[in-house]
């Protein structure tokens, strides 16, 4: 893996659902899905989980794989009318190329956050050869929250 960190997986495996919800309740949240660059500079990310993109082989991934870089931001689009998964979230590049979906096993919490207009995002955290691996792209999911102004304390 390029850019893979085992620490993230260990941290996410060690947090309980109750602890996650306690942390979530303490965080001031704001919907910033399509925020301007100025607003994005005033935000920070709360990392939720690292997952592999599902369905990569069915969409644009192979055609643009060489253009992808670890750290690239991805666009997430909630798809509640999906006939196979009512919690589906599509994954796109910033240029509008569909890469696949958040895996079904990992999408209940991000879908619940998105349904409450809580901004979520993702970035590429690892790349493997698509010729050798079925799911070659790893991404980190995160919530987007407003950063505190330095003089607000």
């Amino acid at each position: 893996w390029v850019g893979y960190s085992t620490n993230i997986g260990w941290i996410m495996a060690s947090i309980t659902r109750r602890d996650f919800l306690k942390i979530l309740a303490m965080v001031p949240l704001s919907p910033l899905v399509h925020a301007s660059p100025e607003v994005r500079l005033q935000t920070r990310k709360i990392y939720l989980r690292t997952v592999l993109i599902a369905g990569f082989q069915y969409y644009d991934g192979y055609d643009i794989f060489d253009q992808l870089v670890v750290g690239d931001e991805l666009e997430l689009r909630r798809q509640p009318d999906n006939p196979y998964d009512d919690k589906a979230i599509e994954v796109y590049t910033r240029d509008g190329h569909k890469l696949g979906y958040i895996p079904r096993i990992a999408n209940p919490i991000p879908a619940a956050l998105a349904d409450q207009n809580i901004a979520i995002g993702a970035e590429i955290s690892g790349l493997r050869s698509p010729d050798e691996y079925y799911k070659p792209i790893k991404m980190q999911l995160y919530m987007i929250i407003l950063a505190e102004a330095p003089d607000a304390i």
Side-chain angles (χ1 to χ4, degrees):
W1 284 103
V2 175
Y4 176 66
S5 171
T6 56
N7 292 339
I8 298 295
W10 180 82
I11 290 168
M12 292 312 300
S14 66
I15 191 168
T16 65
R17 181 177 179 184
R18 176 174 279 175
D19 290 339
F20 171 75
L21 292 174
K22 285 180 186 177
I23 292 168
L24 185 61
M26 294 186 295
V27 177
L29 302 172
S30 174
L32 299 169
V33 174
H34 296 287
S36 69
E38 297 81 23
V39 172
R40 274 194 221 125
L41 291 174
Q42 301 169 5
T43 62
R44 63 188 181 112
K45 302 170 185 175
I46 304 283
Y47 288 93
L48 303 173
R49 185 169 188 171
T50 301
V51 298
L52 298 172
I53 295 177
F56 174 84
Q57 69 277 17
Y58 300 113
Y59 302 102
D60 300 339
Y62 285 112
D63 297 334
I64 63 159
F65 188 82
D66 292 339
Q67 300 169 30
L68 302 174
V69 177
V70 170
D72 282 354
E73 288 190 35
L74 301 170
E75 184 177 324
L76 303 177
R77 297 181 191 170
R78 183 72 170 87
Q79 192 182 40
D81 298 330
N82 184 300
Y84 304 104
D85 181 5
D86 63 342
K87 294 174 179 55
I89 300 175
E90 299 172 294
V91 180
Y92 287 83
T93 65
R94 289 288 180 190
D95 297 333
H97 296 283
K98 186 172 180 177
L99 297 176
Y101 288 88
I102 294 176
R104 183 184 306 222
I105 195 167
N107 69 11
I109 290 175
L113 293 171
D115 290 347
Q116 296 175 59
N117 291 323
I118 296 170
I120 59 173
E123 63 190 31
I124 295 175
S125 61
L127 296 167
R128 300 190 296 188
S129 169
D131 298 329
E132 298 176 30
Y133 294 94
Y134 180 63
K135 294 181 179 179
I137 302 176
K138 186 180 290 188
M139 67 178 172
Q140 291 183 320
L141 302 175
Y142 54 83
M143 286 188 318
I144 303 168
I145 61 169
L146 288 175
E148 293 183 24
D151 58 352
I153 297 177

